[in-house]
Amino acid sequence: MSDALEATLIASIRERPDDDEIRLVYADLLEQRGDPRGEYLRLELELARIPTRLDELARQIDPAWLAQVQRRYTLYLTRVGSSLIGTIKEVREVTGIGLKEAKDLVDAVRAGQRREIISGKTQAEAHTIARRFAGLAELQVIPQLRRASTLEVWLVEIDEGCHADAAEQVARTTGRTLADARALVLEVTGGTPARLRGELDFETAETIASAFVGIARLEFRGSPIP
């Protein structure tokens, strides 16, 4: 594939972003030369189709069976765009909370914290809700975590340039000295995950995770309650 052809395909995609055929042609050409961008385009296209297809299938399947097997998802608001009022309006309509609660939630996200919007939704339902925020805000749709009796929070990765902030947050979260917290952050930077806290309920673990947004990546580990 020549540079000129690739530039033409990219221009066509930008002009007609909903034209799947152009994306597939581009993906085929990229995959022929072993370029991973081809697989990315193909998977992105499949991902866009999944919610619609799941919704179609769900209408053909016994609801009682679906209730037993469907995975549930949680939506998190992660970034707010320029339309503050529009985002607050959608948050209120999706969650049913009051104006002040919705504004406080959105303000927390604007300050760099991730906030849960709603949980217990099927994948199709979750993506339908996420589409309501298109152009207003960014949402994450992730599999819903089951509550755990002995939930642990582990520090697994430090964002670039955030080592000092991560050490300070580790000290606040764990009660360690700043020197010990810096040593722990250094271990994580070297590829060794570190346990921060254990025997936590889900809400406490979520609060801790929110404090590390934009600083580091945390994981929850624990034994699910049957």
Side-chain angles (χ1 to χ4, degrees), residues 53-131:
R53 182 55 181 157
L54 282 174
D55 189 48
E56 292 173 351
L57 289 170
R59 290 196 291 269
Q60 305 171 34
I61 296 172
D62 179 8
W65 181 86
L66 283 173
Q68 297 180 69
V69 303
Q70 275 188 320
R71 185 186 294 273
R72 297 292 164 169
Y73 290 80
T74 298
L75 289 92
Y76 290 89
L77 185 63
T78 58
R79 193 182 73 82
V80 178
S82 58
S83 180
L84 176 62
I85 294 176
T87 303
I88 292 174
K89 177 177 179 293
E90 289 298 338
V91 168
R92 290 191 67 192
E93 292 185 1
V94 167
T95 63
I97 62 178
L99 177 60
K100 183 180 185 306
E101 292 175 280
K103 184 179 183 303
D104 289 346
L105 185 151
V106 171
D107 284 343
V109 175
R110 295 177 72 203
Q113 301 178 38
R114 183 183 72 165
R115 282 290 184 267
E116 178 182 323
I117 295 295
I118 196 166
S119 62
K121 297 299 181 181
T122 66
Q123 187 179 58
E125 290 170 339
H127 282 282
T128 296
I129 292 171
R131 284 195 291 271

Side-chain angles (χ1 to χ4, degrees):
M1 177 172 54
S2 66
D3 291 344
L5 175 56
E6 183 168 16
T8 299
L9 287 168
I10 291 175
S12 297
I13 289 173
R14 293 182 65 181
E15 291 173 5
R16 300 191 296 278
D18 296 326
D19 191 330
D20 295 344
E21 292 304 318
I22 297 176
R23 292 177 180 271
L24 288 173
V25 169
Y26 188 23
D28 286 341
L29 292 171
L30 289 169
E31 289 177 335
Q32 286 174 12
R33 66 185 192 190
D35 191 321
R37 292 180 298 165
E39 183 182 5
Y40 175 89
L41 285 172
R42 197 174 298 282
L43 288 174
E44 183 188 46
L45 185 57
E46 291 177 9
L47 184 63
R49 292 173 172 171
I50 285 173
T52 299
R53 182 55 181 157
L54 282 174
D55 189 48
E56 292 173 351
L57 289 170
R59 290 196 291 269
Q60 305 171 34
I61 296 172
D62 179 8
W65 181 86
L66 283 173
Q68 297 180 69
V69 303
Q70 275 188 320
R71 185 186 294 273
R72 297 292 164 169
Y73 290 80
T74 298
L75 289 92
Y76 290 89
L77 185 63
T78 58
R79 193 182 73 82
V80 178
S82 58
S83 180
L84 176 62
I85 294 176
T87 303
I88 292 174
K89 177 177 179 293
E90 289 298 338
V91 168
R92 290 191 67 192
E93 292 185 1
V94 167
T95 63
I97 62 178
L99 177 60
K100 183 180 185 306
E101 292 175 280
K103 184 179 183 303
D104 289 346
L105 185 151
V106 171
D107 284 343
V109 175
R110 295 177 72 203
Q113 301 178 38
R114 183 183 72 165
R115 282 290 184 267
E116 178 182 323
I117 295 295
I118 196 166
S119 62
K121 297 299 181 181
T122 66
Q123 187 179 58
E125 290 170 339
H127 282 282
T128 296
I129 292 171
R131 284 195 291 271
R132 296 180 57 155
F133 287 84
L136 297 173
E138 292 180 5
L139 271 69
Q140 285 182 331
V141 178
I142 64 173
Q144 186 169 314
L145 293 173
R146 297 179 66 189
R147 298 301 191 260
S149 55
T150 56
L151 196 63
E152 298 179 344
V153 175
W154 285 67
L155 183 63
V156 297
E157 186 178 350
I158 311 299
D159 290 359
E160 186 175 354
C162 295
H163 293 75
D165 291 338
E168 291 178 3
Q169 192 58 51
V170 166
R172 284 193 289 268
T173 298
T174 64
R176 297 170 182 256
T177 65
L178 188 56
D180 287 345
R182 287 170 178 161
L184 184 146
V185 167
L186 188 60
E187 290 180 9
V188 174
T189 303
T192 304
R195 179 180 178 274
L196 295 183
R197 296 271 301 276
E199 299 184 357
L200 301 171
D201 58 38
F202 184 82
E203 287 72 21
T204 302
E206 270 283 271
T207 299
I208 292 173
S210 295
F212 282 86
V213 171
I215 298 174
R217 185 167 67 86
L218 273 63
E219 285 184 357
F220 295 170
R221 304 178 185 179
S223 303
I225 298 174

